[in-house]
Amino acid sequence: MEGLKFEGIILLVVLLPGFLCARLIQALCVRPEQTELDKVIESLLYSFVVYVAFAAIFGGSVPVGVQISTEHGVQHYGVELHAKPLLQLASISLLLALIVGFIITNDLSGRLFRKLRLTQKTTRSSVWSDTFHDLRGVVHVGLSDGRRVMGWLRYYSDEPKDASLFLEKAAWVNPETNEVLSIQGPGILITPDMGIKFVEFLESGRLAEAQGKTVAAGPPSGTT
């Protein structure tokens, strides 16, 4: 029983850098949905990379030591944690997570491999994520009930299944006359319940030009 406890502690310490790295990457960037097995495999791969870097940089130092003592002819095993190597492992995990997060967020490896014609994929989770990472500025959004709204894109949801946008300096657009009615306040939050049919990305001057025209007397048709 004591041996199992000892081995479990050793295994946990050995795997923690990879799990820490994977968790930080998930916090930094949007990842596709994974099964529990996928997460474990990914963490093991990160652990391998972390320990390769650790061995290359710091050589023979070890984060965990084994204490063996004999009492009444019975051997007892204990775990000795070395603070400096553990901090070094944590630092490598953090640095690796920052690098991988930066690469995924900015699709750096995807761009390189596409340029080399090795793939057509991006490193991001969806076309929704690709689009809103690369395009900013003024958008014109059509809603499922026929209403339209335009404004400066400020925030967007991580995944298309939660299609949400927040627009600053927003205005309702009358679909029949293209007249606009400025929204009083910071902006508008478009939620999944409103239903996004399309998103047009416009030139920056289009919003100011539209808001400079005569506005409609009230919200566009279909507005509640």
Side-chain angles (χ1 to χ4, degrees), residues 127-128 130-141 151 153 156 165 167 198-204 206:
V127 175
W128 174 277
D130 278 329
T131 301
F132 287 106
H133 269 91
D134 293 339
L135 300 177
R136 300 296 177 92
V138 177
V139 295
H140 179 207
V141 182
L153 179 63
Y156 54 89
L165 304 174
L167 308 183
F198 65 83
V199 179
E200 295 180 342
F201 290 82
L202 308 177
E203 296 177 357
S204 299
R206 290 289 299 276

Side-chain angles (χ1 to χ4, degrees), residues 29-176:
C29 54
V30 182
R31 302 302 311 278
E33 290 189 7
Q34 296 176 303
T35 65
E36 294 304 317
L37 179 60
D38 291 333
K39 293 177 182 179
V40 171
I41 292 174
E42 185 178 67
S43 298
L44 291 175
L45 292 175
Y46 285 132
S47 289
F48 175 75
V49 175
V50 168
Y51 276 101
V52 167
F54 177 80
I57 298 172
F58 301 107
S61 58
V62 293
V64 183
V66 179
Q67 293 178 329
I68 303 176
S69 60
T70 303
E71 185 177 351
H72 303 296
V74 178
Q75 286 188 330
H76 298 275
Y77 297 88
V79 177
E80 182 181 10
L81 301 179
H82 300 153
K84 186 176 179 180
L86 286 174
L87 289 175
Q88 291 167 343
L89 281 172
S91 300
I92 294 174
S93 297
L94 175 60
L95 181 60
L96 178 61
L98 293 176
I99 293 173
V100 173
F102 181 79
I103 290 173
I104 293 176
T105 299
N106 295 279
D107 191 32
L108 297 183
S109 59
R111 292 179 186 178
L112 174 62
F113 294 143
R114 289 196 302 274
K115 189 173 182 179
L116 296 174
R117 298 186 182 277
L118 296 175
T119 185
Q120 293 182 342
K121 299 176 65 176
T122 70
T123 56
R124 301 191 185 109
S125 60
S126 64
V127 175
W128 174 277
S129 185
D130 278 329
T131 301
F132 287 106
H133 269 91
D134 293 339
L135 300 177
R136 300 296 177 92
V138 177
V139 295
H140 179 207
V141 182
L143 305 178
S144 58
D145 60 3
R147 292 179 296 172
R148 297 184 182 183
V149 63
M150 63 191 306
W152 285 90
L153 179 63
R154 178 64 172 172
Y155 301 116
Y156 54 89
S157 57
D158 291 334
E159 297 289 350
K161 63 182 180 182
D162 178 30
S164 304
L165 304 174
F166 179 77
L167 308 183
E168 291 182 325
K169 300 180 181 178
W172 291 108
V173 180
N174 190 309
E176 298 177 357

Side-chain angles (χ1 to χ4, degrees), residues 182-197:
S182 295
I183 295 174
Q184 302 302 312
I188 182 173
L189 175 64
I190 301 173
T191 65
D193 292 337
M194 299 169 73
I196 297 176
K197 293 183 65 177

